[in-house]
Amino acid sequence: MEHGHETILILDFGSQYTQLIARRVREAHVYCEILPYNADLSAYRNRSVAGYILSGGPSSLTDSEAPRLDRSFFDKSVPVLGLCYGMQLLAELFGGELVKSEHREYGRAVFKPKGGHILFKGLSESSQVWMSHGDSIVQLPDGFEVIGRTDSLATAAIANDADRIYGLQFHPEVHHTAQGKQIIDNFLFNICQAAGDWTTESLIEESIAGIREQVGESEVILGISGGVDSSVAAMLLDRAIGEKLHGVFVNNGVLRKNEFEEVTEILQTLGINLHPVDASDLFLKRLAGIEDPEKKRKIIGSTFIDVFEEEAAKIGGIKFLAQGTLYPDVIESVSFKGPSATIKSHHNVGGLKEKMKFELVEPLRELFKDEVRALGRALGLPEKFIGRHPFPGPGLAVRILGEVTPERCDLLREVDAIFIGQLHKHGIYDDIWQAFAVLLPVRAVGVMGDERTYENVVALRAVTSVDGMTADWARIDPDILAETSNEIIRYVKGVNRVTYDISSKPPATIEWE
């Protein structure tokens, strides 16, 4: 989507924190994009580029194969901020001298900025930062000065004020750097002179204009999963083209309890032109006897395409397919490390573009998840819907270990509903990134009354996370877990044992399959 906002370009050298840099810039209401360090920037000549940020990265500049920029890149009157590897790259390019350190310094340090420098306006005399470096600068380039140090590093920040080039040997984007937000804001507003007008309101206006320009009077079909992304995309498209949008919401038989009915009601109440399709019998018939997780995903994906195609044919005249693609998906496909080796097969609309010959409409492709939620609020999506935990494309099929049957789906739906209900009851649902129940392919002996039982075992999983890339198991009060376990065993026939998963990611994944 073309827009008139100034842009900060973040050049990615392979840092695990690159997306976090972008999020911090966006939080300041400044538009930014992430590009590989070696991207062709000619497409941005007519855009208002207000500044560049060079990310960190795992390489060492003492290695001849390390990623570099051409010196001519800096012959522009645009400010540059280099972080960690980015700072060392600046030092080397401008004629400084680096040596490989005997020990890589990584972690907390106390930073002392040069008083009065524009990059550190409003900072304390000392504050905690998160360091990262394997090389050290032993000779500064001409025109540069040291503007910050730590007890163990004399050159923790450098500046060439004449050319507006700056470097930090720490990560201002991570929360371990106490005043990192202030530093980023100083770069954006005091040095780049950014306007800070990338707001939710302007985004809605520009998105609607962009959709109308792209699709004209054509009909658009959108696969709705019941999640936040596709629902927000539906609302944005509805604002732009009204009844020309056809939202197809398919019940695949592995949704959560009452989800098909509740999501249908919410979206219809909001005025979305919705085509609810209950294809649960078809999905469950095709899943019968299948235990392999990847086969389950592929069956669900291909069946979705079959149902979607059938619905599209009924509607007729469809030229465009809308998807709720987010910016992290876009970054992944053009990342520093190259395109992803595998695309998860449960991104079930992925097979539609080539097969169905539609043009794509992706109104959310420039946004992060938190921005999509803000957009949903502004468009009037109910808060309980916006704050819902993520739910996988294959749904309960990958939370039922072993064969997926109607009976096992119904059992897990009840268990899951009790667990989520307890989190809401005790006011901790919003503190958790994702919570769900898993039906295990084992049975255990139990005692109910005077009888011995031999019934199902379920596992409860709850994690805390910022972005789902890493996650820690949630420390739920044992009394809440005890109450939840009692409710499940008392009310769900066929379950006599409840366990709680205390694995973090890594090494475990969030989902079990």
Side-chain angles (χ1 to χ4, degrees), residues 180-455:
K181 180 183 184 303
Q182 184 65 46
I183 296 171
I184 291 172
D185 285 358
N186 285 339
F187 177 70
L188 296 174
F189 300 116
N190 297 337
I191 294 170
C192 298
Q193 302 291 310
D197 58 1
W198 174 252
T199 62
T200 303
E201 291 72 24
S202 68
L203 176 59
I204 291 172
E205 290 173 19
E206 290 160 16
S207 297
I208 289 171
I211 291 165
R212 286 174 179 164
E213 185 180 345
Q214 182 183 0
V215 308
E217 295 298 313
S218 301
E219 307 283 315
V220 178
I221 195 168
L222 166 69
I224 294 176
S225 67
V228 175
D229 303 340
S230 62
S231 299
V232 171
M235 294 193 71
L236 203 50
L237 285 153
D238 177 65
R239 283 271 187 104
I241 59 174
E243 292 296 303
K244 292 188 184 70
L245 167 68
H246 301 270
V248 176
F249 180 33
V250 178
N251 183 357
N252 57 13
V254 286
L255 297 175
R256 290 168 284 199
K257 186 177 180 182
N258 299 329
E259 183 158 31
F260 185 62
E261 296 77 14
E262 287 174 3
V263 172
T264 297
E265 184 183 352
I266 287 171
L267 293 177
Q268 286 178 335
T269 302
L270 291 166
I272 306 298
N273 180 18
L274 195 66
H275 302 253
V277 182
D278 188 351
S280 51
D281 290 346
L282 175 63
F283 279 87
L284 291 171
K285 183 179 173 186
R286 290 187 180 181
L287 285 167
I290 305 298
E291 296 190 2
D292 179 77
E294 190 57 21
K295 283 183 182 171
K296 290 181 193 175
R297 285 191 177 91
K298 285 180 176 166
I299 287 168
I300 289 170
S302 64
T303 305
F304 179 85
I305 291 172
D306 292 344
V307 173
F308 200 79
E309 279 186 322
E310 190 178 330
E311 204 59 30
K314 282 185 201 169
I315 297 164
I318 303 291
K319 277 185 65 179
F320 291 89
L321 168 69
Q323 293 188 161
T325 310
L326 300 193
Y327 194 43
D329 304 322
V330 178
I331 298 165
E332 180 81 1
S333 65
V334 293
S335 70
F336 167 85
K337 295 168 186 165
S340 287
T342 57
I343 296 171
K344 289 178 188 171
S345 53
H346 68 254
H347 285 176
N348 47 26
V349 190
L352 293 173
K353 182 182 176 187
E354 185 180 345
K355 187 167 182 171
M356 300 177 77
K357 307 296 182 192
F358 290 148
E359 287 184 54
L360 275 183
V361 181
E362 297 175 311
L364 308 179
R365 67 177 280 116
E366 294 179 340
L367 305 183
F368 288 103
K369 190 81 172 186
D370 49 352
E371 293 175 307
V372 172
R373 288 196 165 113
L375 194 60
R377 286 187 187 97
L379 290 166
L381 202 59
E383 190 62 41
K384 70 171 188 177
F385 201 85
I386 289 169
R388 292 170 90 208
H389 292 174
F391 188 62
L396 300 182
V398 290
R399 293 176 178 176
I400 295 172
L401 276 54
E403 186 183 1
V404 178
T405 66
E407 297 74 25
R408 299 188 87 206
C409 288
D410 288 341
L411 185 148
L412 186 57
R413 265 191 273 272
E414 294 301 323
V415 173
D416 192 73
I418 289 171
F419 184 29
I420 299 304
Q422 285 287 330
L423 300 182
H424 281 298
K425 174 185 169 183
H426 292 283
I428 58 173
Y429 180 85
D430 292 336
D431 300 331
I432 291 167
W433 166 266
Q434 193 171 5
F436 55 91
V438 180
L439 179 56
L440 305 185
V442 294
R443 289 177 181 262
V445 173
V447 179
M448 289 190 180
D450 295 326
E451 294 182 6
R452 285 168 70 80
T453 60
Y454 188 58
E455 294 184 333

Side-chain angles (χ1 to χ4, degrees), residues 11-16 18 34-38 55-59 65-68 85 330-339:
L11 301 190
D12 182 20
F13 289 88
S15 170
Q16 60 181 318
T18 302
I34 296 172
L35 298 172
Y37 75 94
N38 55 358
S55 84
S59 304
E65 299 298 309
R68 285 172 164 81
Y85 180 85
V330 178
I331 298 165
E332 180 81 1
S333 65
V334 293
S335 70
F336 167 85
K337 295 168 186 165

Side-chain angles (χ1 to χ4, degrees), residues 114 117-118 143-145 147 159-166 191:
K114 178 183 176 182
H117 194 276
I118 189 170
F144 283 78
E145 64 168 328
I147 57 169
N160 177 333
D161 288 316
D163 293 334
R164 294 189 297 169
I165 298 173
Y166 307 89
I191 294 170

